[in-house]
Amino acid sequence: MQRLAVLPLITLVLAACGGGDSRPEGPAVVQAEDAWCRPTPNGVFVGGCYVTLVSSRDDRLVSVASPLSQVVEIHEMRMDGDMMRMNQLADGLPLPAGETVQMRPGAEHLMLMTLSSALEDGQTVPLTLTFEHAAQVTVEAQVRQPDETAAEHRNH
């Protein structure tokens, strides 16, 4: 008789634990925040933009488009020996579930390769982000100088 009483208790405990699969259900959703681009000097037709991304499930940023540039590439900066190198991420930028992926100067970033005109302080740049699984997200990136606090933090 006591064995039968324990069975419902075990079932309740296992149900409360969620069965071990804690991955969110449904399609991936990516939140994009704090989008910004550096101003470019006149005559320079390449610009850098940055955005912070959080995906509800494992996903990947696979492409970016903007009406202000014919080509937008996803890049990373990394050390190769004692030399800093910039490379295009041909397979896109991985977005692990629930982790904040912050693009920033000296790390992952978006390169607008063929700007139609220089980017000026105060202007906004529309960026349409395409993901492997999640729906496209369009953000308006503010053209501004880098945040001094972030720049100081990188130099430590």
Side-chain angles (χ1 to χ4, degrees), residues 74-115:
I74 304 164
H75 282 202
E76 70 172 347
M77 299 288 291
R78 63 178 177 80
M79 290 301 292
D80 184 8
D82 60 351
M83 197 126 165
M84 179 70 84
R85 298 210 185 264
M86 182 171 61
N87 297 311
Q88 180 179 3
L89 295 173
D91 294 331
L93 178 65
L95 303 173
E99 291 186 25
T100 299
V101 176
Q102 181 181 16
M103 294 184 204
R104 61 190 187 281
E108 294 85 6
H109 58 280
L110 306 174
M111 288 296 298
L112 286 71
M113 303 300 288
T114 54
L115 287 166

Side-chain angles (χ1 to χ4, degrees), residues 84-151:
M84 179 70 84
R85 298 210 185 264
M86 182 171 61
N87 297 311
Q88 180 179 3
L89 295 173
D91 294 331
L93 178 65
L95 303 173
E99 291 186 25
T100 299
V101 176
Q102 181 181 16
M103 294 184 204
R104 61 190 187 281
E108 294 85 6
H109 58 280
L110 306 174
M111 288 296 298
L112 286 71
M113 303 300 288
T114 54
L115 287 166
S116 53
S117 62
L119 300 180
E120 298 178 9
D121 258 318
Q123 178 182 1
T124 58
V125 177
L127 299 169
T128 300
L129 312 174
T130 301
F131 305 95
E132 189 172 48
H133 302 292
Q136 283 186 337
V137 174
T138 299
V139 295
E140 293 289 328
Q142 184 73 32
V143 178
R144 63 172 176 79
Q145 294 297 327
D147 179 23
E148 293 299 320
T149 308

Side-chain angles (χ1 to χ4, degrees), residues 55-66:
S55 180
S56 64
R57 304 187 79 164
D58 286 347
D59 207 339
R60 181 176 297 275
L61 175 64
V62 293
S63 68
V64 181
S66 176

